[in-house]
Each structure stands twice: as C-alpha cells, then as structure tokens.
Amino acid sequence: MKKVSAAFIVWLLVFTTFLGHSSVQAKEAHVKNVIFMIPDGFSTAYATSYRWYKGEKSLMDEMLVGMHRTYSANSAVTDSAAGGTAMATGQKTNNGMIATAPTGEKLPTILQAARANGKGTGLVTTTTITYATPAAFASHVKKRTDEANIAPQLISNKVDVLLGGGKKFFSESLLKKAQEEGYQLVTDQNMLRKTKVEKKILGLFSEEALSPELDRHYTDQPSLADMTMRAIDHLKKKKKGFFLMVEGGQIDWAGHANDPVWAMKDIEAFEEAVKVAKQFAEEDQNTLIVIAGDHDTGGFSVGGYNRYAANVKVLRKVKATGQFIANQLNQDRSNSKEVMKKYTGLNLTAQEMKEIQTSAQAKLAVNKIISKRALIGWTTHEHTGVDVPVYAFGPGSEQFRGLQENTDLPRIMAKLMNLSYPFEKNS
C-alpha cells in the first residue's frame, strides 16, 4: 500500500509539474499577429460535405478546437451584421446593426484597438468591402445597408489594406481622398501583384461583390488566396505586428441560393487562403490564426430525400453556379436540357425540364435539381441558429477550446496580443 501511495505521489508531482509548465507556456505565448478568417455562413454540415467533396480531410480539420454560439442580442438566429459585430467588438447587438450597441452607442472594435496599439490592419473579402462582416471591424452604422456611409469610415479609420468589391460605394471624391491619405488604388489581379508593400492598398475589383470562385475565370479578379497573400506581404512589414480579417463571404451567398457547388468551390478557395496564412504562421512562429464562421446559412445537410446515402461526387462535375447556368437559358428555357448537360453533366428528366421551365426563379430550380441528385438537403434560404466550429493554429490556439460565445473570440485574441481594449464592458 505504501509503495502504491509513493508511486501515486511521484506520478502526481510529475503530472502537476507538467501542468504547471504547460500553463506557463500558455501564459507566455507571444502573439504578435492575428489572422482572423471568417467563412461566412459555414457550419459543421458544410465542413462534412466539403470533406466528401474533396475526398480527404480539409486543412481546417486538423485545427479544430471548439464551437461557438451565434445568437444575436435580439434573436436566436443572427445575421452577418450582428454576428460580425460580436466577433469584432466582443459584444452582442441587434440584427442589422454594425459595431453599434442596441442602445445606439458605437462599439470599439479589435481592429481599431490593434491600430491604436501601433499594429497594422487589414480587411479582405470576396463580397463588397463595405458589406456586413468587414464593415463590423472598421465602421459604425445603425443599418448594415448604409454601405455608402461605411466606405468613408474605412478610409478615415486608416485600415492599411482593404481588398474586395464594392467600388460603386466609393465616390470619386472619396477615392481622391484615399489617394491623398496614401492609398494606392488597384482594380485587377495584375495591379495587385505590382503594389508597393510600403504603401496602403485599396483594392476594389468589382462594382459590387466579386465573382463566385466557380465563375472567377471569366474575370480579371484575384482569388481570396491572392488577396490574403498580398495583405500579409504588406502587413508583415509592421514592426509591432498586425491584425488581419479575411472573409470567404460567398459561402453564405451560396447557402442563401441553396447552391451546393458554389458553396463547395468557395470553401475550396477559402481553404487555399488558409493555406497561405498557415504557411506564413509556421514560418513566423508569432502569428495566431483563428477560423470561425459567423452563422450557418441554408440549413444544409449531407444526405436527404429519405435515403441513407450521399452522392456528393455529383458536384465535382458541375462547372458553374446556378445563377450562371440560368443566364445561359433562352427566353422560354426550352434549351434547359442542353445547358444542364454542358455545365453539370446531368441528363435531365422530363419532370426536371418542366421544373426549370415553370419556376419563378430558374436558378433556384437548377440548384434544387443539382442538390437532389447529390442527395443534399436544405431547410431554408435564410440563416439558422446552430453552433459553428472554431479552428485555431499558432501560439495561444488552445485558448479557444470548448464551447465559446462569439463574443469570446475577439476578447481572447485581444488578451493574447496584449491589446489595451475595454472588452470587459458588459461582460
């Protein structure tokens, strides 16, 4: 008995020493840079489907650390404005509001805190740079639709790198002011490659949002990975480090359209951006990557239609989004069989042809047929309130383990970066 007790005491001493050492390591984790990557609309169902679509684990899978709750201040189901605000400010707000409390006061953001502490800052998105998620990090408006008022705030907040769509929200006078503030304006992929890293960058690659990844080859727009790489190239020159938010914004849009192929290809493009960020973090050793969607969109499911099966391989043959395919139909949609064969590889039945010809929105009929053939289910064209996975890599990544509130994410990042910031308010 004495031998057992002695052995136990030795084991306990070793174990507690290990825990103490681990705790010290966690406390001493040095986070100079944070890359916060947001696959908008992404949830566990998308992660599962993408794994089947890809045929192997995703790069994100090995970084999985926990989950987070997405509800807003006034609803169990958040929108991107309230979700983005929570992830940018550490505080809940009502749906539709951008970095503004339900009472109307402005909420300081982690990006603004990073800049106030001498760090470089950047926002990258495949939507408009003035859309809900990027806007929540560097502007304050009561209504997310006020993009024309968001645009000048991005410039006045002196965000070092702004890359995305939304040129129509930047007036000529605002673009002139941006240049006076030291921004170099770029409008296509080639110009982005030639930017000077010592100057601020305003990249506006489309009047509205960028093209879905499936259709991007028809444009001269950069990929999300291209934009992420250029943003890092610029921001890594900052002596005090940087905060960069990268959004794969059209996973959400694909969910709204119930377009599974659009979703898979934009997740693939997002994963390529993650690869760029991870390579930098591995080399730098002082960079934390956090990945978390802001909510689920579409009520996506792997399998459906009363069958114990999935047929995601169908998606690999589809060459365009449902919207693009619908645009190829003639006025009476009588060419639906030929168009669908060309862009999806599917041979339509007479019933499926009728569905496309009689649908109020041809793109939704196209997406429904593709989804059903792939045995992918959808419950809505809107958001849902399910919890969303959190991934992390780099120093401090263990701090994100378990079930978090979405408001916890920026609080933990700020603490790890040792930012002076009032996240404790209303906690």
Side-chain angles (χ1 to χ4, degrees):
M1 188 71 179
K2 290 181 179 179
K3 290 183 178 179
V4 173
S5 298
F8 176 77
I9 291 171
V10 171
W11 177 86
L12 187 60
L13 286 171
V14 171
F15 185 65
T16 52
T17 300
F18 171 76
L19 283 181
H21 179 65
S22 298
S23 177
V24 169
Q25 283 185 320
K27 290 179 181 178
E28 292 179 351
H30 178 60
V31 178
K32 182 180 180 182
N33 314 308
V34 166
I35 304 176
F36 192 7
M37 307 189 76
I38 302 176
D40 199 305
F42 183 87
S43 65
T44 53
Y46 286 88
T48 303
S49 185
Y50 180 66
R51 196 179 303 119
W52 284 108
Y53 173 82
K54 184 179 180 181
E56 60 182 344
K57 289 183 178 181
S58 76
L59 185 60
M60 287 86 79
D61 284 340
E62 64 188 39
M63 304 182 196
L64 183 65
V65 290
M67 304 280 288
H68 77 92
R69 303 177 67 192
T70 63
Y71 65 94
S72 67
N74 67 337
S75 175
V77 180
T78 191
D79 76 333
S80 290
T85 295
M87 297 166 86
T89 71
Q91 297 195 56
K92 300 275 188 181
T93 194
N94 295 340
N95 287 352
M97 303 183 80
I98 298 289
T100 304
T103 52
E105 70 214 61
K106 295 179 180 179
L107 299 173
T109 76
I110 189 170
L111 181 144
Q112 292 170 324
R115 184 179 179 278
N117 282 263
K119 292 183 179 291
T121 57
L123 296 172
V124 174
T125 184
T126 53
T127 63
T128 62
I129 196 65
T130 49
Y131 212 60
T133 302
F137 286 84
S139 69
H140 310 271
V141 293
K142 293 181 179 180
K143 292 183 179 180
R144 60 179 289 177
T145 52
D146 192 7
E147 292 186 69
N149 188 30
I150 290 169
Q153 293 187 55
L154 302 181
I155 302 302
S156 62
N157 273 308
K158 302 184 187 302
V159 183
D160 294 292
V161 178
L162 294 164
L163 302 176
K167 186 178 179 181
K168 72 177 186 179
F169 298 111
F170 290 77
S171 65
E172 287 300 320
S173 60
L174 181 57
L175 291 176
K176 183 178 179 181
K177 179 183 177 183
Q179 289 178 303
E180 291 172 351
E181 292 284 337
Y183 284 94
Q184 49 193 323
L185 305 181
V186 296
T187 56
D188 60 45
Q189 186 172 18
N190 188 48
M191 289 180 70
L192 180 63
R193 289 171 180 158
K194 296 178 180 178
T195 52
K196 298 177 180 178
V197 295
E198 65 272 11
K199 294 185 65 178
K200 294 196 288 287
I201 307 171
L202 174 59
L204 300 171
F205 306 105
S206 176
E207 288 295 310
E208 298 185 354
L210 303 189
S211 293
E213 183 62 22
L214 261 173
D215 306 334
R216 189 175 60 83
H217 62 282
Y218 294 108
T219 75
D220 58 4
Q221 298 168 4
S223 69
L224 186 61
D226 292 332
M227 293 189 289
T228 302
M229 182 178 295
R230 201 57 181 149
I232 292 172
D233 284 344
H234 177 91
L235 294 172
K236 70 183 182 183
K237 305 293 184 182
K238 302 294 182 178
K239 292 182 179 179
K240 293 187 177 181
F242 64 83
F243 175 87
L244 171 64
M245 192 287 295
V246 176
E247 182 196 26
Q250 296 199 29
I251 300 167
D252 169 65
W253 292 15
H256 282 297
N258 288 181
D259 188 329
V261 190
W262 182 0
M264 293 302 103
K265 288 299 289 186
D266 266 76
I267 294 171
E268 184 177 76
F270 182 81
E271 184 182 31
E272 288 299 309
V274 172
K275 187 183 297 183
V276 168
K278 186 170 184 280
Q279 182 176 347
F280 170 74
E282 287 173 335
E283 295 170 355
D284 178 70
Q285 296 292 303
N286 299 314
T287 297
L288 168 67
I289 299 171
V290 179
I291 304 168
D294 51 353
H295 53 71
D296 168 74
T297 305
F300 186 92
S301 69
V302 182
Y305 308 97
N306 298 315
R307 292 182 62 186
Y308 288 104
N311 195 24
V312 177
K313 64 183 180 182
V314 166
L315 306 183
R316 298 177 194 147
K317 296 181 180 180
V318 181
K319 302 175 182 177
T321 60
Q323 180 64 70
F324 183 92
I325 293 170
N327 289 342
Q328 310 313 306
L329 298 173
N330 55 26
Q331 190 170 4
D332 62 3
R333 304 177 188 172
S334 59
N335 65 336
S336 60
K337 188 169 186 175
E338 295 77 17
V339 169
M340 285 291 281
K341 180 64 176 178
K342 178 179 179 180
Y343 290 102
T344 71
L346 299 175
N347 292 309
L348 294 188
T349 64
Q351 178 59 36
E352 288 170 336
M353 290 175 62
K354 183 178 179 180
E355 288 175 9
I356 291 176
Q357 290 170 346
T358 59
S359 175
Q361 294 190 61
K363 69 175 182 180
L364 297 184
V366 168
N367 293 338
K368 183 178 179 180
I369 290 168
I370 295 171
S371 294
K372 192 169 184 178
R373 291 290 193 99
L375 299 179
I376 284 173
W378 302 89
T379 64
T380 180
H381 288 286
E382 303 304 330
H383 299 170
T384 74
V386 301
D387 297 339
V388 171
V390 177
Y391 309 86
F393 176 85
S397 57
E398 71 282 351
Q399 300 296 315
F400 297 88
R401 288 177 182 164
L403 179 61
Q404 310 280 351
E405 293 287 342
N406 53 7
T407 51
D408 291 332
L409 304 182
R411 293 169 185 254
I412 298 170
M413 292 179 213
K415 187 175 181 180
L416 289 168
M417 285 193 289
N418 197 30
L419 293 182
S420 175
Y421 185 73
F423 277 122
E424 290 71 25
K425 183 179 179 183
N426 296 333
S427 58

